[in-house]
Amino acid sequence: MSKTTITLLPGDGIGPEVSAAAVRVLDAAGAELEWERHIAGREALEKYGNPLPPEVLESIKRNRVALKGPITTQVGGGFKSINVQLRQELELYANLRPSRSLPSIPSRFEGVDIIVVRENTEDLYSGLEHIVVPGVVESLKIITEKASLRISRFAYDYASRHGRKRVTAVHKANIMKLSDGLFLDCVRRVAQEYPEIQSDDKIVDNMCMQLVMRPEEWDVLLLENLYGDIVSDLCAGLVGGLGVVPGANIGLEAALFEAVHGSAPDIAGKDLANPLALIRSGIMMLFHLGKDEAAERVRRALRHVVVTERIRTRDLGGEASTTQFTDAIVRALESGV
Ligand code: NAI
Ligand code: MG
């Protein structure tokens, strides 16, 4: 079988550690991948004078699939987030983030199975900010009918194909009557095309309360970009934290797989990071590529290591380092569990 070429952006902070782990695991699973490595972010700025060199975008456009570690974005000043730029430049309009309870991963709740579908290209991430007069800043929230309909279709189509029962639109249309109002109107228009799926909506603050009270009641959540960012970290917290939740950024021309978490500077370079979130993003990538058998092999190996052998990293109450945890998964794959 010929190998599939994947653009690999290891990222920074814990990125190189978790990316190396994911590559080892996917290779050991016989996924037949070839990796085309590129750098972006501060490292690329220092080396090439550009934090997002054109080769990165060209490589992803050519290969159509990328696996990416987190990239640090400076707070306040500095260059515009590379993560956001990649999503916008490649029109990766749908951000899919499944938060599922896993057996033997410690968390306050059981039976959580929430799919966050986040609009990925507009909203307050438009980057349109300016100083009106000293002491007054304006930040523009852009919501379009085109992007709102597109993400709604994605969410309902996903729900329909994956046998999900309910889609809940999350918004603040009571306050942002025009922008969130347009988003909600678009969701409702698309919902009519899917009578078999239960549709409802919740105001975002109420949604946050409901999620931490009764997380097992929610199914697919459909949100604009900023609410989606915040609520997906909240959902990660319901199922064991940022160390476990994977993600996919999907567009018509390309798909980029990355964990929900960031570069975790507090634990970077210490062999402490949990690579599970990026490995599970790799599983989503394998399914996207139609490599279902390899994906299932990785799934079984993770289950074996985490549930049966009870080997876990420290964020999950275990003792294993990134390397030890990864070694155990590779061992499980090699022994064919
Ligand atoms: P973060 O997600 O990096 O870390 C939050 C907390 O979770 C930290 O205590 C960290 O140690 C822990 N954590 C995260 N991932 C973990 C893992 N795999 N294993 C064990 N513990 C883990 O969020 P933070 O600190 O707010 O952001 C750090 C940087 O990451 C910022 O520059 C931010 O812009 C960037 N970022 C990048 C993202 C991306 O590349 N897509 C996404 C989110 C943030
Ligand atoms: Mg985030």
Side-chain angles (χ1 to χ4, degrees), residues 14 18 68-74 83 87 233 242-243 258-267 272-275 277 315:
I14 60 169
V18 292
K68 174 185 162 298
I71 298 174
T72 303
T73 313
Q74 200 187 320
N83 314 306
R87 296 166 190 166
D233 272 35
L242 285 167
E258 65 178 337
V260 172
H261 66 70
S263 55
D266 50 337
I267 56 166
L272 289 177
N274 189 349
D315 55 312

Side-chain angles (χ1 to χ4, degrees), residues 7 9-11 18-19 22 65-72 81-88 92 94-98 118 120 229 242 244-250 255-263 275-285:
T7 303
L9 297 173
V18 292
S19 307
V65 181
L67 185 68
K68 174 185 162 298
I71 298 174
T72 303
S81 162
I82 299 304
N83 314 306
V84 172
Q85 278 192 63
L86 284 168
R87 296 166 190 166
Q88 290 175 344
L92 305 171
N95 193 337
L96 187 60
R97 297 174 153 184
R118 164 184 176 192
N120 225 6
D229 182 24
L242 285 167
V244 303
V245 177
N249 300 281
I250 297 175
L256 180 151
F257 296 81
E258 65 178 337
V260 172
H261 66 70
S263 55
L276 204 44
L278 192 60
I279 294 171
R280 294 174 85 202
S281 308
I283 295 178
M284 291 175 82
M285 182 179 83

Side-chain angles (χ1 to χ4, degrees), residues 274-303:
N274 189 349
L276 204 44
L278 192 60
I279 294 171
R280 294 174 85 202
S281 308
I283 295 178
M284 291 175 82
M285 182 179 83
L286 293 180
F287 279 121
H288 175 85
L289 292 167
K291 294 177 182 278
D292 296 17
E293 279 178 29
E296 291 294 353
R297 276 197 290 277
V298 180
R299 252 191 197 164
R300 280 196 300 274
L302 291 182
R303 187 171 272 267

